[in-house]
Amino acid sequence: EDKVVQSPLSLVVHEGDTVTLNCSYEVTNFRSLLWYKQEKKAPTFLFMLTSSGIEKKSGRLSSILDKKELSSILNITATQTGDSAIYLCAVGLKEPYNFNKFYFGSGTKLNVKP
Amino acid sequence: DAGITQSPRHKVTETGTPVTLRCHQTENHRYMYWYRQDPGHGLRLIHYSYGVKDTDKGEVSDGYSVSRSKTEDFLLTLESATSSQTSVYFCAISAITGNYGYTFGSGTRLTVV
């Protein structure tokens, strides 16, 4: 059975801290791994990772995939209260006939205190 | 996101009544999905569609049905609502190539009493 596990489930930090969120997966025919940020409403797209070792960056956020270890990390440096959210990891399988379905982890709830 | 809208945004319904949630997209994407989100479970796939009139079950499809008569609309029906179906429902769309990650609607919060 395909599985995506995120850790920790929740995290409380103070502004300025650096955090690392983890996502591990056990799937057949891996295609890609996505990170989403969910505040009050819909998840919003952060990164798509398909190749090992290539870091994706966007401002203070960065992510890297390790296909050997079947895992990915999402780093947030110099955290701000606006980073408080649930961070979701999702894994997609190779086509054809997967119809681009993604399997989601249960998320990491990050709370950044002033 | 402006390209995908869900209705209603909130609904309270009684146990045993049928409920239909609507997802409408203006992106002309082929793939559409319905997920439910519950604490501790993340997002779980209910049903998905890979074209007009082409749908299939996801991992938590019991008690739900879907229809897609037009590219832009994907309906989710709870045939006889139960309290276990109290949840937040998200619709998502994706392209086939390029950035094929999901774009989500704003969600429908459904409460079954």
Side-chain angles (χ1 to χ4, degrees):
Chain A
E1 182 180 306
D2 298 322
K3 190 164 63 172
V4 180
V5 178
Q6 291 186 245
S7 64
L9 292 181
S10 65
L11 191 55
V12 180
V13 300
H14 288 93
E15 275 193 315
D17 289 348
T18 293
V19 298
T20 299
L21 311 183
N22 300 283
C23 177
S24 63
Y25 58 90
E26 292 179 30
V27 300
T28 52
N29 296 315
F30 173 89
R31 180 189 188 190
S32 59
L33 185 146
L34 275 61
W35 284 98
Y36 284 86
K37 178 182 182 182
Q38 184 178 24
E39 295 174 89
K40 293 200 192 306
K41 295 182 180 176
T44 54
F45 175 81
L46 292 174
F47 299 112
M48 176 182 283
L49 304 158
T50 56
S51 303
S52 274
I54 298 176
E55 187 179 34
K56 294 282 184 91
K57 295 192 85 165
S58 177
R60 296 176 293 101
L61 276 66
S62 64
S63 183
I64 195 161
L65 175 67
D66 187 338
K67 287 167 95 169
K68 205 171 179 182
E69 295 296 325
L70 307 182
S71 65
S72 173
I73 59 171
L74 175 68
N75 278 322
I76 309 174
T77 58
T79 51
Q80 302 170 357
T81 55
D83 295 325
S84 295
I86 296 173
Y87 290 84
L88 296 166
C89 168
V91 172
L93 308 183
K94 281 183 184 169
E95 299 291 338
Y97 310 127
N98 179 54
F99 303 111
N100 207 33
K101 297 195 296 291
F102 281 90
Y103 297 90
F104 285 81
S106 55
T108 293
K109 185 172 184 178
L110 174 64
N111 183 7
V112 182
K113 295 193 166 183
Chain B
D1 192 290
I4 176 172
T5 54
Q6 289 184 233
S7 59
R9 296 293 303 277
H10 302 272
K11 186 168 182 68
V12 179
T13 192
E14 292 187 350
T15 299
T17 59
V19 177
T20 296
L21 309 183
R22 181 180 183 240
C23 179
H24 178 78
Q25 60 143 332
T26 56
E27 304 296 324
N28 201 35
H29 283 334
R30 181 177 167 190
Y31 294 158
M32 298 185 76
Y33 311 84
W34 277 106
Y35 282 84
R36 61 178 287 175
Q37 187 174 34
D38 305 288
H41 288 280
L43 286 156
R44 292 182 291 173
L45 182 64
I46 306 171
H47 281 278
Y48 62 99
S49 170
Y50 47 95
V52 173
K53 293 190 171 30
D54 291 322
T55 66
D56 205 348
K57 296 178 181 180
E59 57 184 312
V60 290
S61 59
D62 286 348
Y64 302 95
S65 62
V66 290
S67 66
R68 192 167 177 200
S69 58
K70 298 186 286 186
T71 299
E72 55 267 34
D73 290 326
F74 192 32
L75 303 181
L76 176 71
T77 297
L78 287 65
E79 292 139 12
S80 176
T82 67
S83 58
S84 65
Q85 293 175 311
T86 293
S87 187
V88 179
Y89 292 85
F90 285 102
C91 177
I93 59 176
S94 78
I96 298 175
T97 58
N99 182 356
Y100 52 82
Y102 290 165
T103 300
F104 286 91
S106 296
T108 295
R109 183 173 292 276
L110 177 68
T111 303
V112 183
V113 297

